[in-house]
Amino acid sequence: MSDSDGAAPVLVLGPLLRYVSETVATIWAETDRACRVTILGRETATFEVAGHHYALAVIDGLEPGQAYEYQVALDGTVCWPEPDSPFPASVIRTLDRERPLRMVFGSCRIAELNFPPRWRRRRRERHQQDHGADALGALALDLRVAPPEHWPDIMLLIGDQVYADEVGPATRQFIRKRRDPDQSPGTQVKDFTEYCFLYREAWSEPAVRWLLSVIPSAMIFDDHDVHDDWNTSASWRRDFQAKPWWRDRIDGAYMSYWLYQHLGNLSADDLARDELWRDVRKAADGAAAAAVLRDFAERADTSPDGIRWSYRRAFGRVRLVAIDARSGRVLPDDQRRQMVSDAEWRWVRESVAGDWDHVVLATSLPLLLARGIHDVEAWNEAVCAGAWGRRFTRVGERIRRAGDLEHWAAFGRSFTAFEQLLTELAGGAGASGSPPATVSVLGGDIHHSYLAEVSLPAGVSSRTRVYQLVCSPIHNLLPDNFRRLQRLVTSRAGSLAGAVLTRLARVPAPQLSWRVTEGPWFSNMLASLDFDGRRARVGFDRSASDPAQSPHLIPVHRSDLS
C-alpha cells in the first residue's frame, strides 16, 4: 500500500495499448498517486507532472504473432480489468509479418458520451440530434463479440482527439467549480489541469476505455486539440498570442499532448533516445517536471524547428508515415507559407524511400479536396499573397479564416511538393524494388468522408494506384449551413466558379487530377485498410443505434484498391 490511510492507488485513466511491434509493446496509464505499475511481470515506476501521475510501461521479450492477456496492478493490487466488466480480457497481440494487416482510422471525436441504456430513452432525441452515435464506441461494442484475430492491428486517430474549445459536460462542470466561466476563455480549456480532465472525459467511457486497452493506437493532433483554426495564418497567431489567456492554453496543449498522445507513438528505441523523456523522468518532483515540459511547450510554439511530432512505422512491407500538418507550419506574411518546413519534408521523403508494397501517408487535413473547394482555397492563398493587389489581402485573410480555408490546397508550395512526392513514389523513384502497389493519403478534419482516385500527370506510366481516403467525423456533425455550402461549392456551377477564380488569380493548375468516386458521407464513421501481400482493400462504416440495439457499425462501402 502506498497511502497512509491504507487505500490502494487508483487507475485514473487507461490502460492504453500504444506502440506494438513483433516483440515489444508500450502501455500508458494515469494513476492518482506515485506507485509501481506491474504488467506481465514488468514493473514500472510512475512519474509526476504538476500533481498528475503517469506510467509508460515497456513490455519487451514478446514473441511475434502471439496474444498476451494482461492485467494492471498498482503497488501489487490488480485494478484492471475492473470487477464485473462486460468486456473480454485485455490482450496484447504482437505483429506477425506473415499475417494480413488491418488499419482502422478516423478523426474528430467530441466528448459527448454515449448514455447508459437506462438513460437512452429519456435523452435519445437530444443526443442523436447533437452528435449521433459515437463510432469509436460502436467499434468497441462490435469487437466485444468478435474473435481477436478479426480485430484491427492498429488504430490511427488523426486529429481532434479532444475539443479544447468545445468541451463535454463533465469538463464544463469541472471548469465551473474551478474558476469563473464568465471570464475568458469561458468554458473552453484554459490550462494544463483542465486539459488533463478533458482527456479523462474523452477516454473514460467504458466501451472506449476497453477498446483503447486492446487495440494499439497511434495519434496526431489537429486544430481542436488546441483551438479551432490553430495556426491558420500569421495574423491568426498574432491575434491569439495577444489574448491574456493564450499562453497558459498553448502551454497546456503541448504539455498534455506530449503526455497523453505523443509518448505512445514512440517505439522503445525512440524513447531511449528522447532527451525530453529522460529529463521529465529525472526531474526532482512534479513541479520541476512541469517546468521542463512548459519550457519545451514554449519552444514548440515559438521556435518549432528541430521538434518533430511526425512519426513513421513499418508493418512488414507496409510503410506508415504520420505527418504533423499543424504545429510546424511556416507562416510568413507572404506567398511562401508552408504546411511543413523544408527540413520536415526532407524527413518525410526519406521515410518513404525503400521497397514497400504499400505506403500510407496520414495527415489530419485532406490533401485532395473536392475540386471546387480545392480551387477556392488555392485562389484564396493567392489573394492573401497579393495576387489581386494589397487592397484585397485583408479581405482574403478574412475569407480564409471565416471559411476555414487552410488545407493543403491553401499552402500551394507544400501541395506541389506533395504532388511531386506521390508522382515519384508511383514512378518508383527512390525505391530499391518495384514501386508500391498502392499509395493511400489519409485525411480527416472536414466532417465528411469520401474516397477519391488519383490520376498521375501526363507522361507518367505506373501500375501504382494512388488514393485520397478521408474519414471524419468519428463523433461530431457538420452543421447544416456548412453542408449546404459544401454542396454548393462542389456542384458543377461551384466547380466552374472555382476554376475561373484560380485563373483570374493566375494559380498554376495541379499536376495531379482526381475525382471523388465514393461519397461524400456525413455520418459518424470509421474507415479501414486491409493489406495482404500486394493486395489492398478499403472499407467505410457508419455508426448507428436504435431502441432495440446498442451502437454498432454498418458497412457503407467496400472496394479493392490494388
Side-chain angles (χ1 to χ4, degrees):
M1 303 294 179
S2 65
D3 201 38
S4 58
D5 63 5
V10 174
L11 186 63
V12 173
L13 194 58
L16 270 72
L17 181 59
R18 298 302 311 274
Y19 180 93
V20 175
S21 68
E22 296 174 359
T23 59
V24 180
T26 63
I27 296 178
W28 179 96
E30 182 179 355
T31 64
D32 71 333
R33 69 193 74 166
C35 60
R36 309 290 296 186
V37 179
T38 304
I39 303 172
L40 290 177
R42 283 77 163 180
E43 190 174 271
T44 304
T46 59
F47 62 96
E48 181 187 352
V49 177
H52 297 264
H53 301 269
Y54 307 94
L56 186 65
V58 178
I59 314 297
D60 56 10
L62 305 176
E63 295 292 329
Q66 300 298 312
Y68 296 84
E69 183 177 324
Y70 72 90
Q71 298 177 327
V72 178
L74 305 182
D75 283 350
T77 300
V78 174
C79 59
W80 183 270
E82 295 178 320
D84 304 320
S85 170
F87 296 95
S90 294
V91 296
I92 301 169
R93 296 173 62 245
T94 54
L95 294 177
D96 183 348
R97 286 176 173 267
E98 304 304 319
R99 187 174 69 201
L101 176 75
R102 164 167 275 199
M103 293 182 178
V104 168
F105 74 94
S107 79
C108 307
R109 180 174 178 267
I110 201 163
E112 189 77 27
L113 302 180
N114 284 331
F115 295 101
R118 65 182 181 277
W119 297 351
R120 269 192 202 123
R121 182 171 299 175
R122 179 157 47 100
R123 302 191 67 173
R124 184 183 306 119
E125 182 177 349
R126 173 188 175 275
H127 174 58
Q128 293 191 351
Q129 181 182 357
D130 285 350
H131 302 300
D134 178 10
L136 211 61
L139 174 64
L141 295 175
D142 285 351
L143 295 185
R144 180 177 58 172
V145 295
E149 57 267 25
H150 293 165
W151 293 357
D153 298 287
I154 179 72
M155 180 165 57
L156 304 177
L157 302 175
I158 54 173
D160 295 346
Q161 278 67 260
V162 292
Y163 277 67
D165 50 359
E166 193 177 349
V167 303
T171 304
R172 288 196 295 272
Q173 184 178 8
F174 177 76
I175 289 171
R176 291 190 181 101
K177 289 181 178 179
R178 186 170 182 258
R179 58 178 173 83
D180 182 1
D182 292 330
Q183 302 297 317
S184 294
T187 55
Q188 297 185 25
V189 167
K190 181 180 181 180
D191 56 20
F192 174 71
T193 297
E194 293 176 8
Y195 261 109
C196 294
F197 195 92
L198 181 68
Y199 277 102
R200 188 183 304 184
E201 180 177 26
W203 293 345
S204 289
E205 197 276 331
V208 171
R209 191 174 184 182
W210 172 79
L211 179 73
L212 292 170
S213 79
V214 296
I215 306 301
S217 56
M219 309 179 187
I220 197 74
F221 45 26
D222 199 30
D223 57 340
H224 288 283
D225 293 85
V226 179
H227 193 285
D228 187 27
D229 299 338
W230 175 39
N231 283 347
T232 288
S233 62
S235 69
W236 188 97
R237 283 183 59 84
R238 285 193 295 270
D239 288 350
F240 275 78
Q241 287 170 345
K243 297 181 185 297
W245 50 268
W246 180 249
R247 185 74 263 160
D248 284 343
R249 168 72 153 268
I250 192 64
D251 286 353
Y254 275 117
M255 292 168 68
S256 61
Y257 177 78
W258 186 83
L259 286 162
Y260 288 81
Q261 297 194 50
H262 181 67
L263 274 180
N265 294 332
L266 304 180
S267 68
D269 290 341
D270 292 332
L271 291 168
R273 293 188 296 264
D274 194 291
E275 295 182 1
L276 183 60
W277 171 235
R278 178 201 63 200
D279 293 345
V280 168
R281 288 184 301 152
K282 285 186 174 181
D285 53 33
V292 170
L293 269 182
R294 189 167 288 108
D295 177 70
F296 169 78
E298 292 184 10
R299 288 190 289 115
D301 179 48
T302 59
S303 303
D305 288 348
I307 295 175
R308 176 166 296 128
W309 303 105
S310 304
Y311 55 91
R312 57 196 178 197
R313 296 282 306 275
F315 301 88
R317 291 176 56 81
V318 177
R319 181 55 138 180
L320 166 68
V321 182
I323 304 169
D324 165 27
R326 279 289 173 186
S327 178
R329 293 180 174 185
V330 180
L331 298 170
D333 286 309
D334 60 26
Q335 68 272 24
R336 295 183 63 81
R337 71 178 92 202
Q338 296 171 243
M339 188 71 81
V340 297
S341 68
D342 291 337
E344 183 84 349
W345 194 249
R346 285 194 296 271
W347 176 88
V348 171
R349 293 177 63 89
E350 293 167 1
S351 298
V352 298
D355 189 10
W356 308 103
D357 284 338
H358 306 277
V359 173
V360 179
L361 299 164
T363 168
S364 61
L365 302 170
L367 173 69
L368 304 174
L369 301 160
R371 188 56 191 269
I373 300 175
H374 172 95
D375 286 344
V376 168
E377 295 207 6
W379 160 81
N380 178 259
E381 183 195 27
V383 170
C384 290
W388 284 5
R390 298 188 63 180
R391 288 185 305 169
F392 283 91
T393 57
R394 290 186 179 181
V395 175
E397 177 62 22
R398 287 198 293 269
I399 294 173
R400 181 184 183 92
R401 289 166 63 168
D404 291 349
L405 307 182
E406 43 133 7
H407 301 87
W408 287 86
F411 290 77
R413 191 175 181 209
S414 294
F415 179 84
T416 298
F418 214 137
E419 284 187 305
Q420 183 179 358
L421 176 63
L422 296 179
T423 302
E424 292 176 356
L425 271 172
S432 56
S434 301
T438 67
V439 178
S440 299
V441 184
L442 312 187
D445 177 71
I446 56 177
H447 292 197
H448 62 277
S449 305
Y450 59 88
L451 170 64
E453 188 167 356
V454 181
S455 298
L456 300 173
V460 178
S461 177
S462 175
R463 298 182 65 181
T464 300
R465 306 293 295 276
V466 182
Y467 297 92
Q468 169 77 75
L469 287 71
V470 177
C471 185
S472 166
I474 294 174
H475 190 211
N476 211 326
L477 289 177
L478 185 67
D480 288 341
N481 57 332
F482 277 89
R483 197 176 301 193
R484 288 191 294 268
L485 180 62
Q486 194 267 352
R487 290 194 175 110
L488 173 63
V489 176
T490 57
S491 67
R492 180 174 297 181
S495 298
L496 178 60
V500 170
L501 287 173
T502 57
R503 283 198 293 271
L504 292 175
R506 298 182 180 178
V507 178
Q511 302 169 34
L512 301 175
S513 59
W514 64 94
R515 63 187 183 93
V516 174
T517 57
E518 302 293 340
W521 303 289
F522 295 93
S523 303
N524 293 328
M525 302 189 81
L526 283 167
S528 59
L529 278 167
D530 291 279
F531 301 106
D532 188 358
R534 290 182 66 83
R535 296 181 60 189
R537 187 171 176 81
V538 66
F540 289 86
D541 300 291
R542 68 173 179 87
S543 65
S545 63
D546 56 60
Q549 290 182 289
S550 299
H552 55 283
L553 293 178
I554 296 176
V556 172
H557 174 73
R558 298 285 187 273
S559 63
D560 290 322
L561 298 181
S562 45

